[in-house]
Amino acid sequence: MSGDQSLPGEEPVPEEADEAAFWETPDIYGAYPRLTEDQIARLAEHGQRRIMAPDDVLIREGERCETFFAVLSGTVAVVEDYGTPEEHVLRVHGPGRFIGELGLLYGQVAFYTAVAREPGEVLVVSLDQLRHLVSQDSTIGDIVLRACLCRRALLVGQGAGFRIIGSRYSPDTRRLREFAVRNRLPHRWIDLETDQEAEELLRRFGVGPAETPLVIWRDTTLLRNPSNAELARLIGLPSLPAGNRHGDVLIVGSGPAGLAAAVYAASEGLSTTVVEAMATGGQAATSSRIENLLGFPSGISGAELAERAVLQADKFGARISIPLEATSLHPKDDDHYVVAFADGSEIAARAVVLAMGARYRRLQVPGIERLEGTSVHYSATVYEAQQCRTDPVAVVGGGNSAGQAVLFLAGYAPKVHLLVRGGSLEANMSRYLVDQVERHPRVEVMLHTEVTGVIGQEVLEELDVVDNRTGGHRRLAVRSLFVFTGADPHTEWLAGIIALDSRGFVLTGPEAQEACAYPEVWHGRGRSSMTLEASLPGVFAVGDVRSGSVKRVTSAAGEGAMAIHFVHRHLGHSAAPGSTGTSAATGRSDVSPRIRHKESPWFA
């Protein structure tokens, strides 16, 4: 086995060490906690003990993770490229530690091999038992979830996992990289234009540059310009079974609003399906730190918030599929709606919750397209931050997303320029963020400033910016540009079916009913459109996609939860005459016994 590839700040496993004794990787990042005897005893109630001999493989790279291992004695090495000339140790765990990262909780394939280095004993817990324990035991659940999230981030920073080979100028390369980044999938991008390794790999696999982008994993699997769905299936992202495409509620989008709707719908017994075109968590999942979220006084990363919500929805039985892009919606004669998808599939549901959120606007600057994905970014995650350790960067935008990105990037880059078109930060940014941004020694706030040009062919070298009061131009030497300039809804597929406002956001409530293109659908219903209901009865809009919504995580989650209250009311109204209002899918009453008959004006 070759020498250790250590994480920053870790002590490597020395190559000259005696084979019978191995150094354990220090827990510098909080990613490798040691379970207490009491916690191991609680785990033991759900698992079995297993003796391990040296070189026993517990988890194999590329195979689906189905088992959780806690080390009782001996040591276990986590290895990448096991059994190949490129084999190297990522970390070593001893007694009290456990093996696994984020993919373990979702049944994804493993991005590493776990192999016994010293004889000992492990505790073996099935994936189902682990999920049950994580959801029921908050102490163990928090330890496992936080460690798994942190380990995934470290894998990402190491460039572990699959490789994407493609040109920085290729739209398909950018598409695959964005999908991998947004889904927090460990991978490494090899630029066809500049990386010498790319040519060597192309020769090894006998393919030409015209056949790129390629996805290569473990030197045994090669995908030529795969779709996002093909990449998702390779890694094991969740998908729906082929049959049973009917249910009570279909939720389109899995940001905070969609996930909150999924949790409440599934927990109340409704057959619930969530479809997502890109990645769970939506734009919120790209936030490095959300500090004004109720109940999290020390803040929480958007990724952790999303993963916790996904686990919670899964716990109650909601089904999630990624990627599945909706392309049309139309009513059926039996009081169902059918949503069609880009892959040709369809799902029918008695109610639909639209929670697609919104997508950040592209910056309209000549020549910027060639730098998108390499030097120009529309999110600030650990992937992008790793590239910003030595050079100044710029952030465009004046809202909370821009403020969070600035503070996150300032932890990596030596200098961050915040470019704001308006005259103050207070107009669109929360006060707590304004204070932190203005006090940070590495941040320079430039008000009344707009980007008018990008300089650099392969990578960004400089920005041309203008003071919109004086018209004076200035050059900024930066190597990366992060853009957070507002968002547009992804509602093109709803045009002509659902009433939209002038900007494309979904109208709800009385406004929606008045703008309805098919007023006859409301005849005989005995009610008007409810607060979050769109222009078709039983279709609801929540979160950023809804016209007039407050663009905050908390309000989006609140709308998602409240929408399920309205779904229950709709299902009760839509029951056939003489029906008991019982769902065929769930066998329970469509109208929750907790719903009051007399509501406040808000629930009208």
Side-chain angles (χ1 to χ4, degrees), residues 198-427:
E199 186 176 346
E200 178 188 337
L201 286 169
L202 293 182
R203 283 200 305 267
R204 184 191 306 176
F205 285 91
V207 297
E211 297 177 84
T212 60
L214 303 176
V215 170
I216 299 176
W217 198 11
R218 302 168 58 231
D219 286 346
T220 59
T221 302
L222 183 147
L223 300 178
R224 289 175 170 84
N225 193 14
S227 66
N228 289 353
E230 289 172 319
L231 179 56
R233 300 296 83 82
L234 174 70
I235 302 304
L237 294 182
S239 62
L240 299 180
N244 192 25
R245 296 250 170 171
H246 290 73
D248 291 326
V249 186
L250 172 63
I251 300 167
V252 184
S254 65
L259 290 174
V263 167
Y264 282 90
S267 67
E268 293 177 9
L270 297 176
S271 172
T272 305
T273 299
V274 183
V275 294
E276 170 57 55
M278 180 58 74
T280 55
Q283 296 290 350
T286 66
S287 295
S288 57
R289 203 78 185 160
I290 305 172
E291 296 188 66
N292 60 345
L293 186 62
L294 183 67
F296 294 90
S298 60
I300 185 172
S301 73
E304 182 175 354
L305 179 67
E307 300 300 352
R308 286 177 176 272
V310 170
L311 285 173
Q312 202 172 9
D314 180 75
K315 163 187 171 180
F316 291 119
R319 300 175 300 171
I320 300 177
S321 181
I322 305 169
L324 206 52
E325 183 175 2
T327 56
S328 68
L329 178 150
H330 63 269
K332 287 180 65 178
D333 294 336
D334 60 354
D335 240 359
H336 281 64
Y337 287 98
V338 173
V339 176
F341 301 94
D343 65 355
S345 63
E346 294 183 339
I347 297 177
R350 304 170 68 205
V352 176
V353 178
L354 303 173
M356 297 88 67
R359 297 177 180 177
Y360 284 114
R361 299 189 188 109
R362 259 45 185 177
L363 196 62
Q364 301 303 309
V365 174
I368 199 170
E369 296 85 1
R370 70 176 183 270
L371 300 176
E372 289 180 343
T374 57
S375 302
V376 176
H377 310 283
Y378 293 88
S379 64
T381 70
V382 66
Y383 292 89
E384 295 86 14
Q386 293 287 344
Q387 306 171 27
C388 303
R389 292 188 178 277
T390 58
D391 300 300
V393 302
V395 175
V396 177
N400 278 8
S401 295
Q404 290 162 351
V406 162
L407 295 173
F408 175 62
L409 293 169
Y412 291 83
K415 181 78 171 181
V416 181
H417 302 276
L418 176 58
L419 314 181
V420 183
R421 182 173 58 182
S424 72
L425 292 180
E426 289 83 353

Side-chain angles (χ1 to χ4, degrees), residues 11-63:
E11 300 177 32
V13 179
E15 294 185 16
E16 69 274 16
D18 186 272
E19 285 296 315
F22 300 95
W23 290 10
E24 186 180 53
T25 304
D27 185 20
I28 295 175
Y29 301 99
Y32 317 130
R34 199 177 308 280
L35 299 172
T36 66
E37 291 184 4
D38 178 63
Q39 289 164 349
I40 291 177
R42 278 182 278 165
L43 277 171
E45 297 174 4
H46 302 273
Q48 297 179 332
R49 291 174 177 265
R50 168 179 159 184
I51 300 297
M52 62 177 184
D55 298 323
D56 276 356
V57 174
L58 306 180
I59 298 173
R60 191 175 297 276
E61 185 176 348
E63 295 182 0

